[in-house]
Amino acid sequence: MNNKNKLAFEKSEYLLQHSTNPVNWYPWSEEVFQLSKKLNKPIFLSIGYSSCHWCHVMEKESFEDQFTADILNKNFISVKVDREERPDIDSLYMAAVQMIAGNGGWPATLFLNEKGIPFFAGTYFPAKANSHYPSFTEVLAKVIEIYSRDKESIYKHSELVYENLKKYFEQNSSQKINVHNLYDKMSDEIKNIFDYEKGGFGTNPKFPEVSKLEILFKLSKRYNKDDYLNMAQLSLGSMITGGLFDQLRGGFSRYSTDRAWKIPHFEKMLYDNGLLIRLLSISYQITKNSEILINIKQNISFLLKEMKNDKDLFFSSQDADSDGEEGKFYLWDYHLLETILTKDEFTMVKKLWDITPEGNLDGKNVLSIKTSIKDISEKFNKDEDSVNKSIELVKSKMISYKEKEIKPNIDKKIILSWNSLVISGLCKSYDATQDQIYLDQAVYTTHSIMKNLSKEKTLFHTIDYSQSFLEDYSYFTRSLLDLYASTLSTKWYHLAKSFCDETIENFWNEKEKVFFDTTEISDLFIRPRSFFDPMMPNAAAIAASNCYKLYRMNNEQKYFSIVNKSMEKVSPILTNSPLDTPNWFLLYSELHEDNIDIVFTGDRESDYFREAKKLILSTYIPNSIIVANDLDDNSFDSPLFKGRTNNKKTTVYLCKNNVCNLPADDIELLEKQINNEIGVVR
């Protein structure tokens, strides 16, 4: 256990965690395939990430076991991959896992030939066989037997897997469908799987699925019906009050193991929290719900306090496990709480968080809100401010107690794409709340990305790593467009346009009419591309959406051409199952709904400019773009400024589908126009 394998030279925290395993691990490299061919050994590929609970379990059971390691070392070339560091490898091989095993997840366990093509795959295999899975050593023994006795069947199976993967990643290459009126189909799909009692989609496990929830806000606006809004609010409310949200420290876990959002899988991912603060901010724009505002503050506080480094960049994840146990840091014993709190405090929070002697997970309690502050206030005959202060004091006591325990590990890897999601979330939070701290942090993080993860128009997925992916360019470009909308500073527009052009240069294939996930220089046997949204927005859909926004801002036809070709390419999947491609549906809605252009001209220092900007940003206006001419910087010459740049006085033009209202130069007129053209400003 003291000897280190080749992972000891890697930078990834996940790979370093395995560097003292007795398994002779290799990082992903050309050397692996050369050794496989030279030594006539299959490749064992294990893909995971540092905060993955079942990855830790399989490591402890199998990869730290000398007997299992001896089998692997003698018969395989073993490779470890951090899925967060190499999302391209994960995308390709997770498709293979789902194809071969029928389901996916991490750790991903695959066996490859010397070309890297899988012939068998699964996820977690236990040390001892059970009614669901064979043991890992049984799997190894079977693979060794077939590889030594019937290699021909392995190669035939590999070829079959290769052909199916090729079809999967190249689907819809020739088929074209005219996409029209997807709203009814989307509505039907949502109604069929939405949980009207607990919120969210399906039963369990339940993931936040932010993009699908955003569609509910869009449908509510389109039909001017509260049904869809109530569905979105029910979902957010259930997540906020349930165990999915850390009631003490803030931050959302990756998913709920139960239908009611009470028992989470405790790991916290940066991308989830970045996406959720954006969605919560949209909710607040619409509803002005004070509970949503509180949660926005709590969640951003968690990111700033626990997930940010001294360079204003955000860490990738926080572990589910601590001290060798899943969720230990977040679970509370009834009698322990009884001893560390006063009698009155315990009586109050016992009701608030539904704390019971039997608990709700392994005899202990995951905190979830059972009743409202108002109910607590009435029951204990105290005013709500007093109750809130008491609860904050209780939280401080409980956090202080937990400080004595071993904390969950934080993977301090910096991922550009995930930081970009946080920037977009912070911008939307600023728009909704006008809290300058959020916008300042978005700017600080953007500057840090430019300094630490960018060089000469090239972006890097992680610090000190040479790879870059479509998600890095598309998410970062979107965050820059969001920054422009929040600040109306011309420099962010120019930077967004520059990186959108780089996205097209590096990832767009004109022949295939598609954005690929990787550049042409790739070490994979298939260049992956995807149309589906797993838990993060589909990177190609975001890239196409960026092009559409830029087209609307500058009228450059190359951007609109890419949007049309992308929509044509995705049309069969989008038409067949729009709910599986929510970000393509969101782009479809941008193309087919009323487009709102908001143009600021004249003096940027006036009170009216600030009031108008605040009003517009804090209002939910889907399918809108905001532009502003700068009297001191005419480098952004949008066609939307034509005939309007001579204004010295602050003036706002509100245009729907290229038809503009009379110029508004006072806040009452502007608010009236917004109410008339877009809907009531709530």
Side-chain angles (χ1 to χ4, degrees), residues 245-250 298 329-330 332 353 367 391 394-396 398-399 402:
F245 184 70
D246 184 344
Q247 301 297 332
L248 290 183
R249 294 172 178 268
Q298 290 174 326
F329 193 73
Y330 305 102
W332 290 93
W353 287 324
L367 303 183
I391 290 170
V394 168
K395 286 182 178 181
S396 297
M398 293 170 70
I399 290 171
K402 283 291 183 180

Side-chain angles (χ1 to χ4, degrees), residues 274-380:
L275 289 166
L276 278 162
I277 59 173
R278 180 178 181 275
L279 187 73
L280 287 161
S281 300
I282 293 173
S283 170
Y284 185 67
Q285 283 179 317
I286 298 169
T287 66
K288 301 299 188 265
N289 183 306
S290 60
E291 295 301 317
I292 295 291
L293 178 60
I294 289 169
N295 192 259
I296 291 169
K297 292 178 178 178
Q298 290 174 326
N299 212 40
I300 294 177
S301 176
F302 158 73
L303 291 174
L304 297 179
K305 287 179 180 178
E306 300 199 27
M307 300 296 284
K308 183 173 72 71
N309 68 10
D310 58 3
K311 294 180 180 178
D312 285 305
L313 296 169
F314 293 88
F315 303 133
S316 64
S317 62
Q318 194 173 74
D319 216 323
D321 300 15
S322 59
D323 200 20
E325 294 182 33
E326 182 184 11
K328 181 180 179 181
F329 193 73
Y330 305 102
L331 296 173
W332 290 93
D333 179 80
Y334 180 92
H335 300 292
L336 172 65
L337 280 174
E338 202 172 18
T339 61
I340 67 174
L341 301 178
T342 68
K343 184 178 179 180
D344 287 346
E345 288 171 341
F346 183 61
T347 302
M348 181 174 59
V349 300
K350 186 169 58 170
K351 180 175 175 62
L352 176 67
W353 287 324
D354 195 20
I355 296 165
T356 62
E358 60 274 13
N360 53 15
L361 180 64
D362 300 330
K364 295 186 178 180
N365 294 273
V366 179
L367 303 183
S368 61
I369 296 174
K370 184 182 181 182
T371 189
S372 69
I373 298 296
K374 182 180 179 182
D375 288 342
I376 295 281
S377 173
E378 291 173 356
K379 181 175 177 61
F380 292 94

Side-chain angles (χ1 to χ4, degrees), residues 189 203 221 443 532 556:
E189 288 194 357
T203 53
K221 194 72 173 178
V443 171
F532 297 101
E556 290 190 27

